Amino acid sequence: MQMSSDLFFISSNKNKFEEAKNIALEFGLKLKFLKHSLQEIQANTLEEIATQKAMHAFSICSKPVIVEDAGLFIKSLNGFPGPYSSFVFDTIGNKGILRLVTVKRDAVFRSVIAYCEKRGDVTLFSADVNGTISKKEQGKRWGYDPIFIPSGKNKTYSQLAGKNKISHRYLALKIFSNWYLDKKKSSDR
Ligand code: IMP
C-alpha cells in the first residue's frame, strides 16, 4: 500500500497520538506527531472546541493538520462530562464519575476530528460509540478507558486488546481517512 505522509497530528496527549497513528496506518495514512498543548476553549460542543484547536494547530505548523477532541457523554447526567471531559478527568477522575453514576449507566464516547489546510477553513468528522459505564475501574491504560464498556462487549476499553478496531477514534479516523485519501487522489490527477 502506498502511504500518504504529509499530515500533522497535533496534541499534548501521546496516548492519543499513538492510537491515532496505528489506526491511520491501517488506512494508508502516516501521521506526523507534533507535541503541543493547544488552546482549548470552553464551549458546549466538541465540534466548536475541535474547530478552534485545528485553527490554532494550523497557525503553528502551516501544513495540513488534524486534531482530535473526544468526550464521554453520560445519558443519566444529561451528557456530562461531554465537552468538559478533560477538566472532569483531571479533577474528579474515574472514581468521581463512578460515584455520580448510580442506576442508569448508558454513555456515548464521541470523537471529533478537525482538519485544516488553509487559514479559517476547518472540516469536521465525527463518530460515536455507544456503551455503558462499568461499576468499578477495570484494567489500566489511560483516561476513561477503565470505566467505558462499548456496546456488545463485556469488557472495558482498557481490557479490550482490540480497542483500536472499534473505538470512537477508529470510526472517526476511518471516515476522515477515506475523505482525505479521495481528496488527495483527485488533486493528484
Ligand atoms: P481530549 O480529546 O484530549 O480533550 O479528551 C477529553 C478527555 O477524555 C481526556 O481526559 C482524555 O484523557 C479522555 N479521553 C479521550 N479519548 C479517550 C479514549 O480513547 N479513552 C479514554 N479516555 C479518553
Side-chain angles (χ1 to χ4, degrees), residues 82-100:
Y84 311 105
S85 293
S86 193
F87 177 73
V88 170
F89 186 79
D90 293 342
T91 50
I92 63 171
N94 286 330
K95 293 202 168 42
I97 293 283
L98 291 177
R99 277 196 294 272
L100 292 175

Side-chain angles (χ1 to χ4, degrees), residues 6-176:
D6 52 357
L7 185 58
F8 279 92
F9 184 102
I10 302 192
S11 173
S12 58
N13 185 335
K14 190 86 202 301
N15 291 311
K16 188 188 268 194
F17 172 70
E18 286 299 324
E19 285 191 7
K21 179 184 77 177
N22 291 329
I23 295 167
L25 273 179
E26 191 185 313
F27 301 122
L29 263 183
K30 206 166 163 194
L31 300 180
K32 287 188 209 161
F33 186 43
L34 201 57
K35 192 168 195 295
H36 190 92
S37 190
L38 296 166
Q39 291 152 5
E40 186 155 330
I41 57 160
Q42 278 301 5
N44 292 330
T45 65
L46 298 186
E47 286 76 5
E48 287 168 80
I49 299 169
T51 300
Q52 287 300 321
K53 277 198 203 172
M55 295 207 264
H56 181 204
F58 183 74
S59 75
I60 292 167
C61 67
S62 304
K63 290 267 175 2
V65 62
I66 54 172
V67 300
E68 192 230 17
D69 206 68
L72 180 65
F73 296 76
I74 299 172
K75 290 195 185 156
S76 61
L77 304 179
N78 293 332
F80 180 85
Y84 311 105
S85 293
S86 193
F87 177 73
V88 170
F89 186 79
D90 293 342
T91 50
I92 63 171
N94 286 330
K95 293 202 168 42
I97 293 283
L98 291 177
R99 277 196 294 272
L100 292 175
V101 179
T102 48
V103 191
K104 294 189 81 189
R105 315 195 74 84
D106 293 349
V108 173
F109 226 133
R110 175 173 303 147
S111 163
V112 175
I113 309 246
Y115 172 78
C116 185
E117 62 170 20
K118 216 173 7 184
R119 216 163 77 115
D121 184 3
V122 175
T123 311
L124 298 173
F125 306 83
S126 64
D128 288 354
V129 167
N130 292 314
T132 52
I133 300 299
S134 61
K135 294 199 167 131
K136 55 180 177 41
E137 288 178 83
Q138 288 167 26
K140 295 237 176 322
R141 292 227 187 110
W142 60 285
Y144 296 108
D145 273 5
I147 62 164
F148 183 75
I149 304 176
S151 293
K153 308 280 178 197
N154 52 16
K155 290 179 172 172
T156 63
Y157 264 170
S158 286
Q159 297 170 305
L160 287 169
K163 175 193 172 190
N164 282 347
K165 299 271 182 206
I166 57 162
S167 73
H168 51 300
R169 184 161 296 109
Y170 170 84
L171 297 174
L173 273 167
K174 185 175 180 183
I175 301 168
F176 166 74

